[in-house]
Amino acid sequence: MAASPCARHRWPDSWRCGGPSPPRSSSTRNSCRARTPCGTPSYAPTAGIRSRPASPAKCPGEQNYFLWEHLLASLQRIAAGAGAAVILGPIAGFALGTSRTAATVVGPYLNFVRTLPPLGYIGLLIVWFGIGDTSKIWLLFVAAFPPIVIATMAGVHQVSADRLQVVTRVLLPATLPEVIGGIRVAVGFAWTSMVAAELNNGIPGIGGLAFLAGQQLNTALTMACIIIIGLTALTLDAVISRIGALVVPWKGRA
């Protein structure tokens, strides 16, 4: 069997993929269009020959992020949302606790918001603030703010004292244990709300990764995310408890 024109005309490697064009006769040009050097735009492959598709680049980690990056993104959202609640919650609690009228008016609304599940208002927050991190931070703030305010109010109500001079010497030291307890409850609840906060556009995020892994029936990754979420919750609670022991060392002592 006679060799095909393409077999008789094999170009050197220097003529392939960006090198100078090889010399072609008219007969060879028509019969070897499918085997001309790559990158030559005037010689398209024939219908009988299919080009090999380029393999997509493999990115490390899960959803193009490592697990520690997912965890760090979630912790940053917690720091922004629950951190704002830790700062503003005691202030609002002291203000409401020292005013019976304000506590009577605002207290029921705080209890109402505290009992709402995060999935009940995440859609409304997305409509108001968009699908980005702003809605997630607001959800975590709303989840953490009422418990801190209510705990601070309860601590203030336990102390009966005359106004201003006893605020720093009596009221604040007496209510700090209740405030620390409220912060522990609030941060724990906000952390458990992370999955709800990261249901939409939650990558990177450990809650969003857990949700996607569950949808994809990836049992190993789902279990890994659950373990990381649980260990992180225990770590956060231990850190807050340690800070509370340092701030209020008299708690539990007669």
Side-chain angles (χ1 to χ4, degrees), residues 52-115:
R52 180 178 297 176
S55 58
K58 178 65 175 177
C59 297
E62 296 293 339
Q63 302 295 323
N64 300 336
Y65 294 93
F66 293 106
L67 280 178
W68 67 266
E69 292 178 304
H70 288 285
L71 179 60
L72 180 61
S74 298
L75 289 175
Q76 288 174 343
R77 295 177 182 125
I78 281 286
V86 168
I87 295 173
L88 300 177
I91 298 175
F94 276 114
L96 295 175
T98 54
S99 174
R100 295 287 183 178
T101 303
T104 303
V105 174
V106 181
Y109 295 100
L110 287 173
N111 282 296
F112 174 76
V113 175
R114 182 177 62 87
T115 57

Side-chain angles (χ1 to χ4, degrees), residues 215-240:
Q215 282 192 324
Q216 297 170 359
L217 303 180
N218 191 340
T219 304
L221 182 57
T222 303
M223 291 300 297
C225 291
I226 291 173
I227 293 173
I228 291 174
I229 290 173
L231 292 177
T232 305
L234 292 176
T235 304
L236 290 174
D237 186 74
V239 169
I240 297 173

Side-chain angles (χ1 to χ4, degrees), residues 11-24 36-41:
W11 318 122
D13 293 338
S14 61
W15 289 349
R16 298 176 181 272
C17 298
S21 300
R24 299 182 181 89
T36 52
C38 59
T40 306

Side-chain angles (χ1 to χ4, degrees), residues 4-247:
S4 64
C6 292
R8 293 196 302 267
H9 297 276
R10 297 194 178 276
W11 318 122
D13 293 338
S14 61
W15 289 349
R16 298 176 181 272
C17 298
S21 300
R24 299 182 181 89
S25 62
S26 59
S27 60
T28 305
R29 184 184 302 117
N30 293 330
S31 59
C32 299
R33 288 181 179 178
R35 300 180 182 270
T36 52
C38 59
T40 306
S42 59
Y43 292 88
T46 58
I49 300 177
R50 296 180 181 179
S51 59
R52 180 178 297 176
S55 58
K58 178 65 175 177
C59 297
E62 296 293 339
Q63 302 295 323
N64 300 336
Y65 294 93
F66 293 106
L67 280 178
W68 67 266
E69 292 178 304
H70 288 285
L71 179 60
L72 180 61
S74 298
L75 289 175
Q76 288 174 343
R77 295 177 182 125
I78 281 286
V86 168
I87 295 173
L88 300 177
I91 298 175
F94 276 114
L96 295 175
T98 54
S99 174
R100 295 287 183 178
T101 303
T104 303
V105 174
V106 181
Y109 295 100
L110 287 173
N111 282 296
F112 174 76
V113 175
R114 182 177 62 87
T115 57
L116 287 177
L119 288 175
Y121 50 84
I122 180 61
L124 186 62
L125 294 176
I126 290 176
V127 171
W128 285 350
F129 302 107
I131 203 171
D133 277 357
T134 305
S135 59
K136 300 174 180 59
I137 292 172
W138 267 104
L139 184 142
L140 298 175
F141 174 79
V142 173
F145 183 74
I148 297 177
V149 177
I150 293 173
T152 306
M153 290 171 57
V156 172
H157 290 163
Q158 292 177 2
V159 180
S160 58
D162 295 333
R163 287 292 177 184
L164 187 58
Q165 65 177 2
V166 295
V167 169
T168 57
R169 296 185 179 182
V170 178
L171 192 60
L172 185 60
T175 57
L176 270 180
E178 298 293 336
V179 173
I180 298 297
I183 290 174
R184 289 181 63 184
V185 173
V187 172
F189 183 66
W191 182 248
T192 58
S193 304
M194 181 57 63
V195 175
E198 294 178 346
L199 285 179
N200 299 284
N201 194 28
I203 299 296
I206 194 68
L209 182 63
F211 176 71
L212 289 179
Q215 282 192 324
Q216 297 170 359
L217 303 180
N218 191 340
T219 304
L221 182 57
T222 303
M223 291 300 297
C225 291
I226 291 173
I227 293 173
I228 291 174
I229 290 173
L231 292 177
T232 305
L234 292 176
T235 304
L236 290 174
D237 186 74
V239 169
I240 297 173
S241 178
R242 179 59 179 168
I243 293 174
L246 295 176
V247 174

